[in-house]
């Protein structure tokens, strides 16, 4: 299935529909589970997840029905993380950087200006670095699927002016997700980071509580942030993804044959979603320009040097420990600290 830019830019108006939008009525499901996420219904993650849930229902002969609740319908990221831990929801997709509030080393994949391109990201996350992080997540009594979904390289937006260099971030009020790594990085740039859940981002930008925010292009588009932000700076400052998490007890309740079907289809959907996001990002610059955004390119070297000078990499090497840091540096092909 091809997902067009037009599709994702059709407002997330459909997101108001409750999570059964893609699920045909099951006659006698043995397991009716909920999958919650923070993204608009039109985002590739929800489109591909809906396809996967239909396949799971079909291949389990209706024994497993997974309802999708997109767009923060069941609460903020923090709320939904608590729900997947308690069993209030059975599945949840979350950025490793926000997951780090529970699993500290989960955010190692999000270190600022570490990954130069997607090839290095997937080699790492489908390889040793991903294996390491999944092991850390499992210690928190959550089940995590093998394949991480793509959120994308993150870019900065602003209502004040373009971000061309680290100097432009000095005193800049920027919304960041609720995660220590983001706060730490922007403090290293002498910015003024404010931790705000995604559900409140549009309003925070509209009311000028913050000057800007940072997110991948697909989210800037689907969440219509171009309506409240004029400038888009292509910084690629972090790569971010979504781990597909399951409540451990709910996962273990599924017989092995059903677990195999669920995992196979969700992981296959993750690979399709990665390709969708890459395709979208390639064309979204023109789309966002047509929506009135002014776009500028930046050079990673300047920003990376500023973080090194501020001691950012050394600080996080100490927090993650030598093992995790060595796996990261091996994955990105060079020394960071």
């Amino acid at each position: 299935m091809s997902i067009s830019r037009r599709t994702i830019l059709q407002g997330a108006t459909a997101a108001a529909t409750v999570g059964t939008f893609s699920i045909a009525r099951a006659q006698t499901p043995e397991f009716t589970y909920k999958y919650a996420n923070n993204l608009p219904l039109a985002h590739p993650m929800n489109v591909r997840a809906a396809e996967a849930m239909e396949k799971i229902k079909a291949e389990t002969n209706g024994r497993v029905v997974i309802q999708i609740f997109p767009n923060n319908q069941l609460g903020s990221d923090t709320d939904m993380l608590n729900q997947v831990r308690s069993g209030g929801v059975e599945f949840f997709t979350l950025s490793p950087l926000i997951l780090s509030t529970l699993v500290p080393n989960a955010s190692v994949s999000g270190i600022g200006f570490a990954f130069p391109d997607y090839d290095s990201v997937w080699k790492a996350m489908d390889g040793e670095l991903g294996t390491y992080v999944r092991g850390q997540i499992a210690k928190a009594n959550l089940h995590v699927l093998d394949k991480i979904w793509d959120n994308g390289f993150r870019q900065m937006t602003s209502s004040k002016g373009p971000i061309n260099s680290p100097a432009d971030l000095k005193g800049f009020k920027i919304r960041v997700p609720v995660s220590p790594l983001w706060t730490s990085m922007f403090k290293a740039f002498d910015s003024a980071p404010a931790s705000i859940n995604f559900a409140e981002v549009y309003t925070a930008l509209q009311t000028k509580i913050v000057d800007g925010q940072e997110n991948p292009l697909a989210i800037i588009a689907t969440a219509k942030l171009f309506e409240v932000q004029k400038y888009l700076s292509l910084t690629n400052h972090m790569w971010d993804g979504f781990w597909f998490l399951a409540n451990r007890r709910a996962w273990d309740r599924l017989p092995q044959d059903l677990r195999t079907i669920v995992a196979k289809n969700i992981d296959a959907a993750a690979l399709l979603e990665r390709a969708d996001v890459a395709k979208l990002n390639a064309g979204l610059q023109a789309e966002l320009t047509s929506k009135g955004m002014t776009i500028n390119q930046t050079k990673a070297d300047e920003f990376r040097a500023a973080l090194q000078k501020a001691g950012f990499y050394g600080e996080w090497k100490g927090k993650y420990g030598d093992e995790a840091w060595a796996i990261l540096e091996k994955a990105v092909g060079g020394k960071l600290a």
Side-chain angles (χ1 to χ4, degrees):
M1 174 182 175
S2 174
I3 299 177
S4 69
R5 294 189 297 280
R6 182 184 299 274
T7 302
I8 70 157
L9 288 170
Q10 286 170 345
T13 51
T17 60
V18 185
T20 54
F21 73 94
S22 69
I23 309 299
R25 291 185 182 275
Q27 293 185 0
T28 53
E30 274 179 69
F31 303 94
T32 302
Y33 282 178
K34 293 188 287 289
Y35 160 48
N37 65 70
N38 67 2
L39 292 184
L41 187 55
H43 190 280
M45 188 173 78
N46 276 313
V47 175
R48 293 302 185 181
E51 293 173 354
M53 303 323 173
E54 291 287 3
K55 290 176 182 176
I56 288 166
K57 184 188 172 192
E59 291 178 26
T60 62
N61 296 315
R63 294 174 68 195
V64 178
V65 171
I66 302 174
Q67 299 172 315
I68 302 175
F69 294 83
N71 211 37
N72 293 110
Q73 284 180 10
L74 300 186
S76 69
D77 287 334
T78 309
D79 295 331
M80 290 187 286
L81 179 57
N82 288 333
Q83 289 174 56
V84 80
R85 294 181 70 197
S86 69
V89 301
E90 288 79 18
F91 294 103
F92 175 42
T93 33
L94 184 65
S95 160
L97 288 95
I98 301 174
L99 182 57
S100 68
T101 57
L102 174 65
V103 183
N105 279 19
S107 63
V108 67
S109 59
I111 282 288
F113 299 94
F115 289 107
D117 52 39
Y118 266 124
D119 285 346
S120 59
V121 167
W122 301 133
K123 185 177 178 183
M125 300 313 295
D126 290 338
E128 190 178 359
L129 187 63
T131 299
Y132 170 80
V133 173
R134 289 197 307 277
Q136 297 293 304
I137 296 170
K139 293 178 184 177
N141 208 30
L142 290 168
H143 180 76
V144 56
L145 279 294
D146 285 350
K147 298 297 182 185
I148 192 167
W149 296 52
D150 192 22
N151 192 359
F153 279 96
R154 301 180 78 91
Q155 321 297 348
M156 299 182 200
T157 68
S158 168
S159 59
K160 293 181 72 175
I163 307 297
N164 286 303
S165 71
D168 295 320
L169 289 169
K170 191 173 180 65
F172 184 69
K173 291 186 294 182
I174 185 167
R175 175 269 173 178
V176 295
V178 183
S179 169
L181 182 60
W182 263 292
T183 302
S184 170
M185 186 179 83
F186 282 101
K187 282 185 175 176
F189 287 130
D190 289 327
S191 304
S195 295
I196 299 172
N197 271 301
F198 185 71
E200 300 159 23
V201 169
Y202 187 99
T203 303
L205 295 168
Q206 188 177 41
T207 57
K208 299 297 201 304
I209 290 172
V210 289
D211 302 316
Q213 63 84 54
E214 48 78 66
N215 256 304
L217 294 180
I219 288 182
I220 293 168
T222 55
K224 297 181 178 286
L225 300 186
F226 51 81
E227 294 177 348
V228 288
Q229 296 277 271
K230 169 70 175 172
Y231 300 95
L232 168 60
S233 300
L234 300 176
T235 50
N236 289 319
H237 56 276
M238 287 176 167
W239 174 79
D240 191 23
F242 295 104
W243 285 115
F244 209 106
L245 307 171
N247 174 271
R248 170 69 67 182
R249 294 181 300 280
W251 183 258
D252 288 346
R253 277 199 300 273
L254 293 173
Q256 182 59 55
D257 61 325
L258 299 186
R259 271 184 255 164
T260 299
I261 292 170
V262 172
K264 175 191 73 173
N265 281 289
I266 289 175
D267 283 338
L271 298 182
L272 294 171
E273 184 264 0
R274 291 178 186 181
D276 292 338
V277 171
K279 184 178 179 182
L280 283 171
N281 284 341
L284 275 173
Q285 291 183 41
E287 200 77 48
L288 290 168
T289 299
S290 76
K291 298 292 183 180
M293 298 197 87
T294 300
I295 300 179
N296 67 290
Q297 302 275 347
T298 62
K299 294 183 178 179
D301 291 349
E302 270 188 88
F303 291 89
R304 194 181 295 113
L307 290 179
Q308 286 172 333
K309 185 176 180 181
F312 171 79
Y313 295 121
E315 175 191 351
W316 283 91
K317 179 180 180 180
K319 289 182 177 180
Y320 291 130
D322 290 342
E323 180 192 9
W325 198 260
I327 294 170
L328 173 66
E329 289 190 328
K330 181 180 175 184
V332 302
K335 291 285 183 184
L336 294 169

